[in-house]
Amino acid sequence: MRGEVLVYSGQEAFLRELIERDAALAKDAEAPLAKRLRELALEKSFAALLIRPRAFDAAVSAKDDPGSKTIAKCWKALDNLGLGLNVGREVEISLAMKGKTDQMPAPIAKLLKGATKPSELWSAVPEDAMFAFAGRIDVSALYGSWGELMPKASKESADAELQRTIGAMLGKKVLEEVLPALGPDVGCYVTAPPTEGKEWAPRVLAAVRVARGGEDDPTDEAVLSGVETWARLFVLGHNKQNPNQTLALKTTRVDRARVRYLQGDVFPAGVQPAFGMRGGYLVLTTSLAEMRRFAVKAPEQSSGPVPLARASVKAIRAYLKDRREPLAEALAAREKLTKEKAGERIDAMRTNLELIDRLELRLQTSGDRATLTLAVQPAKALKK
């Protein structure tokens, strides 16, 4: 016993070493493990596991390829690492890291720095969304980070291929003009269709901010034109192979913005793929109605954790219940089951989801510390 702390070990030598180290500390000195817990903000956790990064340096640096060298450099920039568990209204599992981002490769450091602020796109995500992701991702830095893991020759080949394909189609320099114009706000969400009507397929929407660029040759218009070109090629290819179930690429206006959408009998009820520029964002969605609902509001100032992703298990259960019959029909056709068997699978899925209401992934940064937390909200509170 040391104060209120009980120490147990199955190895006497280990316990003696611990006692000797403790005795060597000054009376008012902070125990090394307590200091590391405090540095990671894990000192109040219900349970915590500390990992000493330096113990794994040799294993991380074992290989001599560019990818391994980059990983080793990032690993050596870590000073402290730990896992924490908290149990309250939510169950929180946290990965806490303390290190020096300035010792990491520049693209990776830039990518990590940009992720510390919440994305504006969270204001456009419906509260009842089943799944949602939104973050600030520097696309140019992301590509650069990927390049840090590749041999130089492979990176140069990938750069050239991007320019020969996407660059040639857009009439832009991909690395210098297109990638820097994408982001940092990127996100997507999946929501259930309205309960009224025959629509049953989930609605999916993805959006990425695109900078305007120069007025003489706007980058956002070039990117939109590229998406439209792919849509035209898709329609041509589909109609050639399916002359009895053709698609048409149509145009409409949403808040004075030009939006293109696909129309045809090949899609389930309510599915109407659409794309267009809305408020500085390139938006792609499976529903024209969802395109009309999309709106980004001014961000609110917040110093708390940054939301990265969430799943409303409660909303998923409601969707499976409300759309059980059409979902069973679609599942039966896909898996070659009877409708009754497909319905039983859906019911079993709902039963398996009854214990949890919500999952959320959050990022909290403070100085040289970053904490990634997975929060699980049970259907019934574990603690009042």
Side-chain angles (χ1 to χ4, degrees), residues 38 52 57 69 72 78 147 158-159 169 171 176 178 189 194 204 271-273 309 313 325 336 342 348 350 362 369:
R38 179 177 53 77
R52 187 164 65 89
D57 284 352
K69 288 182 178 180
L78 282 175
D159 294 347
M169 182 175 64
E176 293 83 0
V178 179
Y189 67 79
V204 182
V271 175
Q272 205 168 28
V313 183
E325 293 305 312
K336 297 181 180 179
R350 281 178 53 204
R362 308 164 184 153
R369 185 184 71 238

Side-chain angles (χ1 to χ4, degrees), residues 36-343:
R36 291 184 60 197
L37 285 170
R38 179 177 53 77
E39 288 178 344
L40 295 174
L42 296 177
E43 70 274 19
K44 295 182 180 180
S45 298
F46 171 73
L49 171 67
L50 290 174
I51 301 170
R52 187 164 65 89
R54 300 290 73 82
F56 299 92
D57 284 352
V60 173
S61 305
K63 297 181 181 179
D64 195 34
D65 59 277
S68 297
K69 288 182 178 180
T70 298
I71 293 173
K73 191 173 183 179
C74 293
W75 179 260
K76 288 180 179 179
L78 282 175
D79 295 328
N80 203 353
L81 183 65
L83 290 169
L85 171 67
N86 282 301
V87 180
R89 178 63 186 89
E90 297 179 326
V91 177
E92 296 181 344
I93 303 171
S94 299
L95 172 64
M97 298 164 283
K98 181 178 180 293
K100 305 177 184 68
T101 55
D102 58 351
Q103 294 182 7
M104 296 182 178
I108 297 177
K110 186 179 180 182
L111 182 66
L112 295 175
K113 184 178 179 180
T116 59
K117 297 180 180 179
S119 172
E120 290 183 357
L121 280 170
W122 280 112
S123 65
V125 176
E127 283 297 324
D128 60 350
M130 295 188 290
F131 301 98
F133 156 80
R136 290 175 59 85
I137 300 176
D138 187 317
V139 177
S140 184
L142 179 63
Y143 181 75
S145 300
W146 178 61
E148 290 287 333
L149 301 172
M150 304 169 59
K152 184 178 179 180
S154 299
K155 175 64 165 55
E156 292 175 349
S157 176
D159 294 347
E161 185 65 20
L162 277 177
Q163 189 56 43
R164 280 195 300 268
T165 53
I166 296 176
M169 182 175 64
L170 301 183
K172 295 279 186 181
K173 295 180 179 179
V174 176
L175 300 185
E176 293 83 0
E177 297 177 277
V178 179
L179 294 184
L182 300 178
D185 293 280
V186 178
C188 65
Y189 67 79
V190 181
T191 188
T195 53
E196 64 275 5
K198 296 182 179 180
E199 187 178 349
W200 62 268
R203 294 178 175 182
V204 182
L205 183 143
V208 57
R209 182 184 284 280
V210 184
R212 175 68 176 170
E215 287 298 328
D216 293 338
D217 187 15
T219 304
D220 60 347
E221 292 184 8
V223 172
L224 181 61
S225 176
V227 176
E228 186 171 338
T229 298
W230 286 324
R232 290 181 183 278
L233 292 174
F234 173 77
V235 169
L236 289 173
H238 173 85
N239 289 351
K240 185 175 181 180
Q241 295 182 4
N242 304 275
N244 297 323
Q245 288 185 318
T246 60
L247 292 174
L249 185 61
K250 294 185 171 292
T251 303
T252 187
R253 293 278 172 179
V254 177
D255 297 334
R256 294 183 296 180
R258 178 173 172 268
V259 171
R260 305 304 304 273
Y261 66 96
L262 296 178
Q263 183 170 295
D265 296 332
V266 298
F267 302 117
V271 175
Q272 205 168 28
F275 61 90
M277 293 296 302
R278 297 289 314 281
Y281 286 86
L282 172 64
V283 182
L284 301 95
T285 176
T286 61
S287 169
L288 184 57
E290 205 62 36
M291 174 74 78
R292 299 184 189 280
R293 187 164 69 149
F294 178 82
V296 177
K297 302 175 184 177
E300 297 180 0
Q301 296 295 329
S302 174
S303 58
V306 174
L308 298 179
R310 73 170 184 240
S312 175
V313 183
K314 186 176 181 179
I316 296 171
R317 291 199 305 266
Y319 168 66
L320 294 176
K321 179 181 178 181
D322 295 339
R323 291 290 183 265
R324 182 184 185 279
E325 293 305 312
L327 284 173
E329 290 180 3
L331 181 62
R334 179 179 177 179
E335 301 292 333
K336 297 181 180 179
L337 302 170
T338 64
K339 186 178 177 180
E340 290 73 19
K341 286 291 184 182

